[in-house]
């Protein structure tokens, strides 16, 4: 088991075409504190400054709520963290090796498990071990869905992006989850940053095995101990783990001007 310490930086800059009188945001922009991660320190701040509260949601994610009432034409959300990541070794098992975790085996608004059942049955049949079936699923998804930005959005269900055959890491992760859940394997959505030259946040998955949760990145075709990423949030699908969700009061529109993320091994 490898143990790695990181410093993590996240900054999102927003601009608005008219004055904003109130900005209310829910943030999941610090590392998850649990499972294979231990948060050593964290700090969240905004420009302009706002009223800040913190809590843990039902999935264990660290959530910040920030409300800004100072009039502004731009906003910055920034987090700095130190986290210890334990890179766990994968232990294979012969099929069936099912672990019961109903929260992460059922359908959600974005993942229709029944839709993927015929696909899951074809892939599962003939597989002998968990490692074999996981590699088969990732290979299948990559053969059917090509990475392309601008075709889907955060509200696109997994079966729709599968039918289109195009999508981004969020779509590829949710399709993979749908197939694995249809096989009976608990699988959850993960949002965070990669450890090697991140440019934005990334989505991958974790599968629960008899020895615990193991990571898989179906977009990059990485498995288990290859993944030394830093997870910010886990969820049943994207809706549980989106980094920033908010509303603002203004006569004009707003947009994300720039997103900067950084990871440094220490």
């Amino acid at each position: 088991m490898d143990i790695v310490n990181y410093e993590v930086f996240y900054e999102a800059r927003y601009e608005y075409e008219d004055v904003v009188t109130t900005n209310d945001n829910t943030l999941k922009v610090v590392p998850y504190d649990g499972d294979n991660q231990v948060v050593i320190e964290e700090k969240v701040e905004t420009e302009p400054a706002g009223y800040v509260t913190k809590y843990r949601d039902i999935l264990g994610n660290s959530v910040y709520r920030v409300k800004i009432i100072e009039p502004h034409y731009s906003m910055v959300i920034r987090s700095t963290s130190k986290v210890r990541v334990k890179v766990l070794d994968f232990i294979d098992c012969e099929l069936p090796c099912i672990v019961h975790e109903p929260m992460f085996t059922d359908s959600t608004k974005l993942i229709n498990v029944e839709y993927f059942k015929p696909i899951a049955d074809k892939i599962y049949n003939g597989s002998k071990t968990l490692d074999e079936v996981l590699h088969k699923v990732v290979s299948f998804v990559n053969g059917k869905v090509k990475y392309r930005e601008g075709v889907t959005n955060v509200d696109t269900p997994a079966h729709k992006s599968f039918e289109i055959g195009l999508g981004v890491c969020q779509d590829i992760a949710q399709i993979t989850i749908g197939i694995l859940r249809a096989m009976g394997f608990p699988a959850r959505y993960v949002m965070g940053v990669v450890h090697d030259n991140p440019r934005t946040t990334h989505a991958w998955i974790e599968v629960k095995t008899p020895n615990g949760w193991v990571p898989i990145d179906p977009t990059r075709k990485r498995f288990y101990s290859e993944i030394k990423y830093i997870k910010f949030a886990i969820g049943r699908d994207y809706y549980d783990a989106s980094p920033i969700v908010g509303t603002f009061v203004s006569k004009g529109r707003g947009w994300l001007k720039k997103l900067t993320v950084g990871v440094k091994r220490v």
Side-chain angles (χ1 to χ4, degrees), residues 54-117:
K54 180 190 175 184
Y55 62 93
R56 282 200 178 216
D57 66 15
I58 60 171
L59 299 171
N61 298 315
S62 296
V63 184
Y64 282 81
R65 178 84 179 269
V66 182
K67 186 173 185 178
I68 301 170
I69 59 174
E70 177 184 332
H72 55 280
Y73 286 87
S74 64
M75 177 182 66
V76 177
I77 295 171
R78 183 183 301 114
S79 74
T80 53
S81 311
K82 291 183 180 178
V83 60
R84 179 170 296 123
V85 177
K86 299 176 182 178
V87 184
L88 305 177
D89 296 325
F90 172 73
I91 300 176
D92 200 7
C93 60
E94 293 186 1
L95 299 179
C97 50
I98 301 298
V99 179
H100 296 288
E101 190 79 42
M103 180 179 289
F104 297 107
T105 53
D106 295 337
S107 294
T108 68
K109 289 183 179 180
L110 294 176
I111 303 172
N112 183 345
V113 173
E114 286 303 312
Y115 174 90
F116 292 104
K117 193 70 168 67

Side-chain angles (χ1 to χ4, degrees), residues 124-193:
Y124 187 91
N125 292 335
S127 300
K128 296 181 179 180
T129 68
L130 178 60
D131 178 69
E132 180 184 356
V133 79
L134 293 175
H135 276 81
K136 281 183 177 180
V137 171
V138 171
S139 178
F140 172 82
V141 174
N142 274 270
K144 294 291 185 179
V145 183
K146 303 304 179 186
Y147 188 96
R148 185 178 298 176
E149 298 178 359
V151 179
T152 58
N153 58 53
V154 296
D155 298 313
T156 303
H159 70 278
K160 291 294 184 183
S161 53
F162 179 77
E163 290 170 356
I164 296 168
L166 300 169
V168 294
C169 57
Q170 170 193 320
D171 305 296
I172 295 170
Q174 290 181 147
I175 291 167
T176 307
I177 289 170
I179 296 172
L180 292 173
R181 287 181 183 174
M183 293 177 178
F185 297 115
R188 64 190 187 187
Y189 183 97
V190 185
M191 180 276 297
V193 293

